Amino acid sequence: MKASISALVQQGIQALRTAGTLPQDLETPAFVVERPNQRAHGDFSTNAAMLLAKAARTNPRAIAQALVAALPASDDIAKVEIAGPGFINFHLAPDAYGRELREIVARGSAYGRNDGGAGRTVGVEYVSANPTGPLHVGHGRAAAIGDCIARVLDANGWRVKREFYYNDAGAQIDNLAKSVQARALGKTPDDPSWPQDGYRGDYIVEVANGYLRGDTVEFEDHIVHGAKDPNDLDAIRQFSVAYLRREQNADLAAFGVAFDVYFLESSLYTEGRVEETVRELVAHGHTYEEGGALWLRTTDFGDDKDRVMRKSDGTYTYFLPDVAYHRSKWQRGYERAITELGADHHGSLARVLAGLQALDCGIPQKWPEYVLHQMVTVMRGGEEVKLSKRAGSYLTLRDLIEEAGRDATRWFLIARKPDSQLTFDIDLARSQSNDNPVFYVQYAHARVCSLLRQAGEKGFTFDLANGLRHVDTLVDADAQTLLVELSRYPEVVEAAATSLEPHSIAQYLRELANAFHGWYHAQPILVDDANQRDARLALSVGTGQVLKNGLDLLGVSAPEKM
């Protein structure tokens, strides 16, 4: 509906060009069409006239009057008014929302989707946990945000590649291997010879026992066998990484999260990508030697100081492989790249962006885009829950799913803006009450399904086509409010993709469920009059469809019974 208003305004502007009121070569300004805060001011409003006034060499109200006169006729528009300094307010015809309801029913699961991305490729990287232990709750928030961003971009016409970057190289992997070896040798974390930075959770025992048994680990396209020899550190390293990658994949599968690409940090070294990146940076003149180290002039690209790439001992600093990794994304055809990370990574972003610009290979500025999430605090019984026996020092994602369920866990981890602190109340997530937002929204969908079952049980024959023909009977204020809420859904989906904030989908679904529950309690649905009953059931069906579509973008189920 918003898109239709925007198209009318664009046609009106073109008519003013043709008439000579506006210059022929004037580019259409980036006007906005939005819903006023008060519906009495109209259903939609645009600032187009104020942006055109200078080019028209007149005041905004005068060009607004000309633009209104130039608008093509539309059955959806009942009245157009000019307000304030030149806002143009559109009042929709009574049947405009009825036509939108028919659109919902006709498009079904495709309603709300658009082709804004035009099939362009976007890579969305998220979770990217070190394969050194079970996924914790912070990883869960990353998984929920990243997966929902991918779903929303897909709904906006992007060709989405979901990517997991495995940090399978470096000191943390050595510490993992040494920890598993110590357990395989019968040592405990209390032993004086336990690795100083070793991992202490019970899962290390599980890995060590699997290795000593000679277990076979299968994951993705890999098969790894436990060598049983506690003195073979390389074999232990390979088995441990494989074992924990499989465990993390299982956690993510239980969470409804899957990836198209698993990229190994180690491949950057084995395939020479890190060295190749260094050569490119040197060749483009953005590096210098000082103190035996190789530096990158990141200050040329907005960083607060230059950064060491290769230390005097010949090893690389951690940001260089990040540059090489993102360069590989560009080479793989990602026109747009989005990386979801914990807020603690904030300090490294400027140098990665600078490194990519220093490659001088056509990578756009501010590529990749970053979405950062804040910490999660988990509460139960009014007290913070921090520890898991299996992980040792943190609460795992699997713990949370087992306690709260997948749907509630996904909802609660996505329901707030990523850069805000999040408190996850397990007791609330498990409750079956209107205070629990995911229950409240899912119950609205289940209520729609229940209405359809009740109609059959009462002997009513529901004629959807007849109901859509009689939408004009839905004149009560609560039905009108619900119709307006339904029509907002495509705008919410588009805005969520633009801002990379899928929590807005959750907020919208709550508002839609509230409108539906309010209408349900205010108006009997299964009335004797067939036309009115069919119209009210048609409105219910449309509501159920939008609820299901929105829940799918969050990876949350739409139950038919609760």
Side-chain angles (χ1 to χ4, degrees):
M1 194 170 291
K2 179 179 175 180
S4 298
I5 301 293
S6 181
L8 290 175
V9 174
Q10 291 178 20
Q11 292 174 57
I13 292 172
Q14 180 56 43
L16 293 180
R17 288 196 195 96
T18 302
T21 307
L22 291 173
Q24 292 283 345
D25 59 351
L26 174 70
E27 290 188 12
T28 300
F31 64 88
V32 296
V33 174
E34 56 190 2
R35 296 175 187 261
N37 292 330
Q38 299 180 34
R39 198 176 171 203
H41 295 163
D43 294 280
F44 291 94
S45 178
T46 182
N47 65 343
M50 288 179 284
L51 299 180
L52 292 167
K54 184 176 180 180
R57 296 183 179 181
T58 186
N59 64 71
R61 286 191 67 90
I63 194 64
Q65 291 170 348
L67 181 55
V68 168
L71 292 174
S74 170
D75 291 339
D76 285 339
I77 307 300
K79 181 174 63 174
V80 183
E81 296 178 324
I82 300 170
F87 286 104
I88 300 175
N89 294 338
F90 297 83
H91 296 260
L92 298 187
D95 193 44
Y97 288 110
R99 277 192 282 277
E100 192 70 14
L101 179 59
R102 290 190 279 275
E103 180 77 2
I104 293 170
V105 173
R107 296 197 65 195
S109 61
Y111 180 73
R113 301 179 72 88
N114 64 73
D115 60 358
R120 290 171 290 169
T121 300
V122 56
V124 184
E125 179 207 339
Y126 49 105
V127 184
S128 296
N130 296 337
T132 55
L135 298 178
H136 55 61
V137 174
H139 293 135
R141 191 175 192 190
I145 293 170
D147 185 59
C148 290
I149 286 175
R151 289 168 182 259
V152 166
L153 289 170
D154 177 75
N156 280 269
W158 288 86
R159 180 173 174 261
V160 181
K161 292 290 186 180
R162 297 161 170 85
E163 187 152 340
F164 191 120
Y165 178 55
Y166 275 115
N167 300 103
D168 66 334
Q172 76 276 5
I173 300 299
D174 289 335
N175 291 331
L176 170 67
K178 291 174 183 176
S179 302
V180 174
Q181 183 181 51
R183 281 292 193 181
L185 292 170
K187 299 176 182 179
T188 68
D190 297 328
D191 193 296
S193 63
W194 186 263
Q196 183 176 355
D197 295 318
Y199 297 94
R200 298 168 174 266
D202 284 356
Y203 70 93
I204 295 295
V205 179
E206 299 170 13
V207 179
N209 289 342
Y211 175 79
L212 292 174
R213 286 193 303 266
D215 288 356
T216 297
V217 175
E218 296 185 40
F219 67 101
E220 298 152 33
D221 296 324
H222 303 275
I223 299 177
V224 178
H225 305 283
K228 301 183 181 180
D229 181 0
N231 295 307
D232 189 339
L233 189 60
D234 286 339
I236 291 174
R237 179 184 292 104
Q238 185 182 24
F239 180 85
S240 300
V241 169
Y243 188 101
L244 289 170
R245 282 181 63 183
R246 182 186 65 181
E247 290 295 295
Q248 289 182 354
N249 288 353
D251 289 345
L252 291 168
F255 202 41
V257 174
F259 293 88
D260 304 302
V261 179
Y262 292 93
F263 195 100
L264 301 182
E265 180 187 1
S266 58
S267 71
L268 295 172
Y269 298 95
T270 58
E271 296 175 9
R273 292 179 181 269
V274 172
E275 285 291 348
E276 184 181 337
T277 300
V278 172
R279 288 195 298 271
E280 287 294 313
L281 292 170
V282 171
H284 286 94
H286 296 298
T287 64
Y288 61 92
E289 298 261 2
E290 184 177 289
L294 181 64
W295 294 69
L296 179 65
R297 289 192 179 91
T298 54
T299 51
D300 291 349
F301 303 95
D303 200 3
D304 58 348
K305 61 181 181 180
D306 292 343
R307 305 289 176 173
V308 173
M309 291 195 311
R310 188 173 59 215
K311 293 182 283 188
S312 56
D313 64 2
T315 61
Y316 295 111
T317 54
Y318 65 90
F319 95 92
L320 184 61
D322 282 348
V323 174
Y325 168 51
H326 282 90
R327 177 173 177 253
S328 83
K329 291 182 180 181
W330 179 253
Q331 292 171 330
R332 284 182 275 142
Y334 289 2
E335 298 168 73
R336 186 178 178 191
I338 298 163
T339 302
E340 203 288 338
L341 295 168
D344 55 325
H345 290 84
H346 182 270
S348 65
L349 307 187
R351 66 201 69 170
V352 173
L353 290 168
L356 291 169
Q357 288 302 299
L359 288 167
D360 293 335
C361 62
I363 293 177
Q365 290 187 357
K366 297 184 180 179
W367 187 105
E369 303 161 63
Y370 288 101
V371 177
L372 304 181
H373 70 264
Q374 290 288 346
M375 294 176 58
V376 182
T377 300
V378 180
M379 305 291 290
R380 186 200 301 114
E383 296 182 356
E384 184 176 353
V385 184
K386 290 185 176 181
L387 305 181
S388 161
K389 185 175 187 297
R390 183 165 183 265
S393 60
Y394 58 85
L395 189 68
T396 69
L397 174 59
R398 189 177 299 180
D399 292 331
L400 202 55
I401 295 173
E402 289 174 354
E403 286 216 42
R406 174 175 136 180
D407 283 346
T409 300
R410 286 189 65 112
W411 178 284
F412 274 66
L413 290 178
I414 196 62
R416 295 200 64 189
K417 193 174 180 179
D419 63 4
S420 63
Q421 296 281 341
L422 188 151
T423 298
F424 191 117
D425 188 332
I426 290 177
D427 298 323
L428 177 60
R430 296 181 63 178
S431 69
Q432 295 189 358
S433 72
N434 290 342
D435 293 330
N436 180 353
V438 65
F439 175 86
Y440 188 67
V441 172
Q442 287 181 316
Y443 187 57
H445 184 270
R447 177 167 268 171
V448 169
C449 297
S450 175
L451 277 170
L452 297 175
R453 289 194 299 270
Q454 289 176 40
E457 292 166 1
K458 291 178 179 290
F460 294 131
T461 299
F462 171 41
D463 186 335
L464 177 59
N466 182 59
L468 293 174
R469 285 194 297 270
H470 290 88
V471 173
D472 57 350
T473 64
L474 301 171
V475 294
D476 60 280
D478 293 294
Q480 289 295 304
T481 297
L482 180 54
L483 284 164
V484 170
E485 282 298 319
L486 288 171
S487 73
R488 288 180 54 223
Y489 179 67
E491 302 162 34
V492 173
V493 174
E494 182 178 5
T498 300
S499 63
L500 300 180
E501 294 180 344
H503 73 284
S504 60
I505 302 289
Q507 292 176 348
Y508 166 79
L509 290 175
R510 257 189 111 168
E511 293 164 3
L512 177 59
N514 186 59
F516 174 73
H517 288 308
W519 173 66
Y520 174 87
H521 288 297
Q523 293 291 334
I525 310 301
L526 302 179
V527 294
D528 290 333
D529 183 277
N531 291 339
Q532 194 170 69
R533 182 179 65 248
D534 284 345
R536 293 179 181 180
L537 284 173
L539 178 54
S540 301
V541 167
T543 303
Q545 184 66 67
V546 173
L547 286 168
K548 189 175 188 301
N549 292 359
L551 286 168
D552 183 66
L553 292 184
L554 302 182
V556 175
S557 69
E560 296 185 2
K561 292 182 179 181
M562 291 181 70

